[in-house]
């Protein structure tokens, strides 16, 4: 949050509080739907139970889609059912994926992502190649996190099929799957071990990444990966994405139970 301008800081606090109220209202609605589905042995509940045990591409699907959030508001796009052992409330708990999207930068998307992840006790996944949320999280140590040896944690998880292990939070920070400098290079025209452009059968170019099932579109792999990771972590997930449209943002939006579009007034 920018503290140099008191008026802007106050506006950021007000906007974050409003977003949190909207997000919690959506979660209460999803929890109610999940409880009904569970008690009626709804097929959507069975699908989520399958996803919890690793079946790809079925996390939280109920076969219905709804509206998407805009103007800093949030809306539900599908029902997700999760029976969480040891839940403090002792009832069915919804595990939701919140995705931050915006066609441009500089609107507070990463800032809101960090605050929302803290407020919801969620895992923060930073898909923004420049690592805006990672910078907020790591502070003066951001460069060592962003330039850590080895591949990008997200790409490594997609390649191996294993759930990434978030970095520990603490001190008011949420658990984090950080961005990495490798995310900048995957969009280059030259193919690499991490990704390569290819033509689809429909005659469209697509960025492909290696997975245990073979090469897949990056957007599809991100979509299914986020759903599976949320089920494996058994908690909410907040995803920060790069500005504009692309495989990273498109995949995260497709995985979302709640899409959040911050704007400036």
């Amino acid at each position: 949050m920018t503290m140099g301008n008191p008026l802007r800081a106050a506006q950021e606090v007000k906007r974050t509080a409003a977003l949190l109220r909207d997000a919690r209202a959506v979660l209460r609605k999803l929890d109610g739907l999940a409880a009904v589905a569970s008690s009626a042995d709804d097929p959507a509940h069975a699908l989520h139970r399958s996803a919890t045990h690793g079946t790809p591409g079925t996390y939280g699907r109920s076969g219905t889609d709804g509206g998407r959030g805009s103007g800093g508001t949030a809306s539900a796009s599908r029902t997700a059912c999760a029976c969480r052992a040891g839940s403090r409330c002792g009832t069915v708990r919804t595990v939701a994926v919140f995705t931050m999207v915006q066609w441009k930068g500089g609107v507070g998307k990463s800032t809101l992502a960090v605050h929302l992840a803290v407020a919801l006790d969620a895992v923060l996944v930073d898909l923004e190649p420049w690592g805006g949320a990672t910078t907020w999280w790591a502070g003066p140590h951001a460069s060592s996190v962003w330039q850590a040896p080895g591949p990008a944690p997200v790409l490594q998880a997609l390649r191996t099929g294993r759930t990434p292990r978030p970095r520990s939070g603490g001190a008011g920070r949420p658990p984090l799957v950080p961005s990495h400098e490798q995310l900048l290079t995957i969009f280059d025209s030259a193919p690499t071990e991490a990704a390569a452009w290819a033509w689809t059968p429909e005659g469209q170019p697509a960025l492909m990444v290696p997975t245990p099932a073979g090469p897949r579109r990056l957007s599809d792999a991100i979509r299914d990966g986020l759903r599976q990771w949320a089920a494996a972590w058994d908690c909410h997930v907040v995803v920060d994405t790069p500005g504009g449209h692309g495989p990273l943002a498109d995949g995260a939006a497709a995985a979302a139970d709640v899409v959040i579009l911050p704007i400036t007034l």
Side-chain angles (χ1 to χ4, degrees):
M1 183 179 301
T2 303
M3 300 305 295
N5 185 329
L7 177 60
R8 180 168 183 180
Q11 291 173 339
E12 289 280 0
V13 170
K14 185 176 181 180
R15 184 169 65 159
T16 302
L19 172 60
L20 183 57
R21 286 195 300 270
D22 287 345
R24 284 176 171 163
V26 169
L27 287 174
R28 285 194 297 270
K29 183 176 180 180
L30 288 174
D31 277 331
L33 293 172
V36 171
S38 178
S39 62
D41 196 22
D42 189 275
H45 185 63
L47 282 177
H48 179 77
R49 288 174 61 86
S50 296
T52 304
H53 292 284
T55 302
T58 58
Y59 171 72
R61 288 189 179 275
S62 66
T64 59
D65 290 326
R68 289 186 176 180
S70 61
T73 62
S75 61
S77 64
R78 67 173 63 88
T79 302
C81 310
C83 296
R84 181 170 182 166
S87 173
R88 285 175 294 179
C89 63
T91 62
V92 173
R93 182 184 187 279
T94 300
V95 175
V97 177
F98 294 78
T99 296
M100 315 293 294
V101 298
Q102 189 30 289
W103 70 274
K104 64 182 295 294
V107 297
K109 177 169 52 61
S110 298
T111 304
L112 288 173
V114 175
H115 292 176
L116 185 62
V118 171
L120 296 179
D121 294 324
V123 174
L124 177 61
V125 178
D126 190 1
L127 295 183
E128 206 285 308
W130 288 105
T134 299
T135 299
W136 269 89
W137 188 92
H141 305 290
S143 60
S144 62
V145 175
W146 187 69
Q147 295 178 312
V154 166
L155 297 180
Q156 175 74 355
L158 296 179
R159 185 182 68 82
T160 62
R162 298 176 181 173
T163 302
R165 177 178 297 180
R167 289 176 176 254
S168 299
R173 300 178 301 171
L176 172 74
V177 177
S179 178
H180 192 274
E181 63 178 346
Q182 189 183 37
L183 294 179
L184 286 174
T185 66
I186 61 175
F187 296 99
D188 295 341
S189 57
T192 66
E193 292 183 358
W197 288 93
W199 291 97
T200 67
E202 296 77 22
Q204 298 178 342
L207 188 60
M208 311 294 287
V209 293
T211 73
R216 295 191 65 195
R217 291 173 184 253
L218 175 58
S219 57
D220 292 346
I222 288 288
R223 176 197 65 204
D224 293 344
L226 285 170
R227 294 171 180 168
Q228 293 169 21
W229 303 341
W233 291 326
D234 197 19
C235 65
H236 302 312
V237 176
V238 176
V239 188
D240 191 27
T241 64
H245 296 287
L248 293 171
D250 292 350
D257 297 281
V258 182
V259 176
I260 301 171
L261 178 68
I263 62 172
T264 54
L265 302 177

